[in-house]
Amino acid sequence: MTFEYAPAPESRSIVSINPKNKLFIGGEFIDAKSGEYFQTTNPATEEVLAEISLASAKDVDAAVVAARKAFKSWSKLSGSQRAKYIYRIARIIQERSRELAVLETLDNGKPIRESRDVDVPLVAAHFFHYAGWADKLEYAGVGPNPRPLGVVGQVIPWNFPLLMLAWKIAPALAAGNTVVLKPAETTSLSALLFAEICQQAQLPAGVVNIVTGAGETGKALVNHPDINKVAFTGSTEVGRQIAKAVAGTNKKLTLELGGKAANIVFEDAPLDQTVEGIVDGIFFNQGHVCCAGSRLLVQESIHDDLMSLLYPRLELLRVGDPMDKNTDVGAINSAEQLKKIHELANSGDEQGAVRWTSSCPLPGTGFWFAPTVFTNVSQSHRIATEEIFGPVLSVLTFRTPDEAIDKANNTPYGLSAGIWSDKGSRILEVAAKLRAGVIWANTFNKFDPTSPFGGYKESGYGREGGRQGLEAYLEAGVAHE
């Protein structure tokens, strides 16, 4: 007997989306000086959700001026006073969690289960965590009497809009900085709802400012002369441009960029558990994850056994309406990203890899890509070297631990990796030799606000999360006798 899942759609009635959205500057929603707007769409239906203000360089300047004015008083508050505001924001996020989850799914395309059960709880947890740090800055690792940097310019991506906002804003505020943040062009709505939460929490005007727009808006923010630090999460290509822009200035910089993570499976790994970790590693959030386990390195002796378990498991993944609580894989965020995924997947065919694609039906409207696995992959193939940022897994084999380490490190990236083995000694030995900022053992894609996250090489530099994420927003003060 076969059981089918009945549709279990989440209601969108809890969310009221403004048809036209303004900028959030100086504690108020104001019109962009140009009066121009751009559209944001639901990637699952291609429905236009709203129009978003297009911030110009003049708008960015107004936001920086507001942040600089607010910094004078915000930085002088005691840590416990700042903590009250941050804690209040965390509680309101919890209270409005369903609203935030629905909005994130509508605007981004990720399954409601992930927005509801992963993203939003982690967002609240980050604000709670850094509220606790606000009066303990002397233990952050920068020396005695640490000081905030000033005004911080933050640019975040579209794959985890609200979570990346929390990763950046929470530690910045705890340290005493003020913020100008630019969300991604395709996913601005949850950041604007967060601006409402700042108002609801009675956060002092100008402490957080949200400017929406495309690349030119972000460029104006990065290049603004009165910014003390830039924090960016996004592509390696844009990260390089930002690094060049701030070179020779006094601006501090944190970059969290792309990745091509190796998920290494040894012959003694628990295969059933490993299969679940592989699925979570690459198909979570449609593969729109910078640390996704997009390269599966399998010990040769268990390759066939593992694949015989993996393919049937992938056939069970439900692809479709992100608002359905049964959905496992949602929509690709944009037509542009879908085009990139198709182009790289087609290169795998052209270079001789063997493609397997789930037989799941895909909706007729929206942007969709079925879970895909490539075997017979060479290290020189583009699907093994370039970040696809989609639900595509490349499978390679190895015979010895040294070969696995060499293949895992054979990438310009160094953000994350996974190791699957029953032997703790093997995990520790291999982990010590991998050039990756985050390494998971017998799990994958686990995040916690107390743990630092960041990479090496072309995956960027600096850390977000934990004490290290707070340290990035502080500088050493003057020691008192």
Side-chain angles (χ1 to χ4, degrees):
M1 181 181 294
T2 301
F3 292 94
E4 298 293 337
Y5 283 88
E10 174 66 78
S11 171
R12 58 184 290 178
S13 62
I14 193 171
V15 173
S16 177
I17 302 176
N18 294 324
K20 285 184 178 288
N21 292 267
K22 301 180 179 181
L23 309 175
F24 185 67
I25 297 175
E28 297 179 352
F29 286 96
I30 64 173
D31 292 315
K33 296 185 185 299
S34 67
E36 294 183 38
Y37 291 86
F38 61 93
Q39 293 180 335
T40 186
T41 61
N42 180 341
T45 63
E46 301 181 58
E47 164 202 0
V48 175
L49 295 172
E51 292 188 324
I52 311 292
S53 290
L54 179 62
S56 65
K58 292 182 179 178
D59 296 307
V60 170
D61 182 65
V64 174
V65 168
R68 180 61 64 187
K69 180 180 178 181
F71 176 72
K72 295 176 182 178
S73 56
W74 178 253
S75 60
K76 292 178 181 177
L77 292 179
S78 67
S80 60
Q81 288 175 307
R82 289 198 301 273
K84 290 178 182 178
Y85 288 105
I86 302 170
Y87 184 82
R88 195 180 299 165
I89 288 172
R91 287 302 302 269
I92 295 172
I93 288 170
Q94 286 186 321
E95 292 166 3
R96 303 181 69 173
S97 61
R98 186 178 172 203
E99 183 181 359
L100 287 163
V102 169
L103 187 62
E104 193 82 321
T105 289
L106 288 173
D107 203 22
N108 172 273
K110 65 177 63 189
I112 186 65
R113 282 195 296 119
E114 293 178 5
S115 298
R116 179 195 65 194
D117 299 341
V118 180
D119 290 27
V120 176
L122 278 173
V123 169
H126 273 81
F127 280 97
F128 278 124
H129 178 69
Y130 285 108
W133 263 111
D135 62 351
K136 305 172 185 66
L137 300 183
E138 64 270 23
Y139 301 105
V142 299
N145 306 304
R147 302 180 302 190
L149 301 176
V151 178
V152 179
Q154 301 175 329
V155 181
I156 60 175
W158 47 259
N159 57 332
F160 291 96
L162 196 59
L163 184 57
M164 293 299 100
L165 176 150
W167 278 25
K168 288 175 169 52
I169 289 183
L173 298 192
N177 301 281
T178 54
V179 167
V180 180
L181 179 135
K182 191 202 87 69
E185 180 182 4
T186 60
T187 54
S188 300
L189 292 180
S190 57
L192 294 172
L193 182 53
F194 178 79
E196 289 184 20
I197 290 173
C198 290
Q199 288 182 324
Q200 188 178 347
Q202 299 180 331
L203 189 71
V207 172
V208 169
N209 305 271
I210 309 288
V211 291
T212 50
E216 288 303 310
T217 305
K219 185 177 180 180
L221 179 58
V222 168
N223 292 329
H224 197 285
D226 202 26
I227 290 290
N228 301 104
K229 175 185 170 68
V230 174
F232 172 77
T233 297
S235 71
T236 296
E237 179 184 357
V238 175
R240 287 196 193 98
Q241 296 172 9
I242 292 175
K244 290 179 181 178
V246 303
T249 71
N250 291 322
K251 297 175 184 175
K252 292 184 179 292
L253 179 63
T254 299
L255 295 174
E256 197 268 282
L257 308 176
K260 195 69 181 176
N263 209 357
I264 306 171
V265 182
F266 287 97
E267 60 189 357
D268 62 333
L271 292 189
D272 289 338
Q273 177 185 344
T274 301
V275 166
E276 294 306 311
I278 293 168
V279 172
D280 288 341
I282 182 59
F283 301 111
F284 170 65
N285 200 41
Q286 298 78 254
H288 296 336
V289 186
C290 51
C291 56
S294 55
R295 288 185 300 150
L296 179 62
L297 303 185
V298 184
Q299 197 150 15
E300 213 170 77
S301 59
I302 60 164
H303 173 271
D304 292 349
D305 291 339
L306 180 65
M307 300 310 293
S308 69
L309 293 173
L310 181 60
Y311 290 140
R313 176 66 181 89
L314 297 184
E315 287 287 9
L316 298 177
L317 292 178
R318 295 177 294 278
V319 181
D321 181 9
M323 290 291 286
D324 190 323
K325 302 180 189 72
N326 294 321
T327 295
D328 297 304
V329 180
I332 303 303
N333 180 254
S334 65
E336 180 183 4
Q337 183 59 27
L338 181 60
K339 180 180 178 182
K340 176 186 175 184
I341 295 170
H342 275 295
E343 192 263 328
L344 282 168
N346 290 340
S347 77
D349 297 327
E350 294 163 2
Q351 293 183 307
V354 178
R355 183 197 293 229
W356 176 93
T357 301
S358 168
S359 61
C360 63
L362 299 180
T365 58
F367 313 123
W368 308 92
F369 197 92
T372 297
V373 177
F374 280 98
T375 53
N376 196 34
V377 177
S378 165
Q379 291 188 82
S380 62
H381 289 175
R382 291 181 63 194
I383 55 173
T385 59
E386 298 182 31
E387 185 178 39
I388 301 174
F389 223 61
V392 179
L393 178 66
S394 299
V395 183
L396 300 92
T397 60
F398 66 91
R399 293 181 178 177
T400 67
D402 286 341
E403 183 184 358
I405 292 165
D406 288 342
K407 286 186 174 181
N409 289 335
N410 185 25
T411 173
Y413 300 106
L415 186 55
S416 66
I419 305 171
W420 298 84
S421 173
D422 200 37
K423 296 183 175 66
S425 57
R426 170 178 283 165
I427 291 171
L428 293 173
E429 181 182 4
V430 172
K433 297 176 181 178
L434 294 178
R435 289 292 291 168
V438 179
I439 300 172
W440 288 288
N442 292 332
T443 188
F444 211 93
N445 274 340
K446 299 297 183 185
F447 305 98
D448 190 280
T450 65
S451 179
F453 183 92
Y456 297 104
K457 300 186 287 186
E458 291 190 12
S459 291
Y461 45 80
R463 294 294 181 266
E464 294 184 305
R467 177 191 63 77
Q468 294 84 351
L470 184 70
E471 183 181 356
Y473 289 94
L474 294 166
E475 62 183 359
V478 178
H480 296 301
E481 295 294 335

